[in-house]
Amino acid sequence: AKFDEEQPCLDSVLMTLPDAEKDYKEEGDASRYMLQGKMYAMLGGDKEENPIVTLKLEPAHGELLRQQYEAIVPGYYMNKVHWSSVYLDAPPPQEVIFDMARESHRLILASLPKKTQREILERE
């Protein structure tokens, strides 16, 4: 996918999270990053093909980040309370995005059955 190639660093961070899997959705030209079949990140573009990554965050944290950074907006084509999108052409500091990615992964992990969570963390 075009957007992974433009964001190799972000792609590798998303793929190093425990049990990460990736698929490509041709409709929307986006790569989805999954944990046990549940998406925690999507790397793609908006309708003008500006590169964005969409991540799940605690609602209050997402709101705080949107106030701090112009590039962070309510989730593009997603639930706007739980998901935030980051425009990557003028992004906040990389560490902010990486922290958001880890939080998104952690939230999805926490939604899985306890046994599955243990198995994933034991494989680390």
Side-chain angles (χ1 to χ4, degrees), residues 3-17:
F3 295 106
D4 312 5
E5 288 144 27
E6 289 174 13
Q7 304 293 332
C9 202
L10 180 55
D11 177 70
S12 61
V13 166
L14 291 167
M15 284 307 294
T16 56
L17 295 168

Side-chain angles (χ1 to χ4, degrees), residues 44-107:
D46 67 7
K47 61 182 181 291
E48 281 88 39
E49 295 203 1
N50 297 306
I52 53 175
V53 63
T54 301
L55 300 155
K56 185 169 189 152
L57 300 172
E58 288 289 349
H61 187 220
E63 190 54 46
L64 188 70
L65 288 170
R66 290 176 205 165
Q67 290 168 9
Q68 279 181 294
Y69 301 103
E70 207 175 304
I72 301 177
V73 298
Y76 187 75
Y77 270 117
M78 301 291 277
N79 177 312
K80 310 234 177 287
V81 176
H82 295 279
W83 293 84
S84 290
S85 293
V86 183
Y87 277 90
L88 298 170
D89 42 11
Q94 213 167 33
E95 205 41 56
V96 172
I97 300 174
F98 294 168
D99 285 345
M100 290 171 71
R102 288 188 283 269
E103 177 180 342
S104 186
H105 183 275
R106 197 168 47 246
L107 287 170

Side-chain angles (χ1 to χ4, degrees), residues 17-33:
L17 295 168
D19 232 34
E21 293 171 356
K22 178 169 141 183
D23 73 8
Y24 173 68
K25 213 173 162 192
E26 202 160 314
E27 166 208 334
D29 185 27
S31 292
R32 297 183 309 171
Y33 298 82

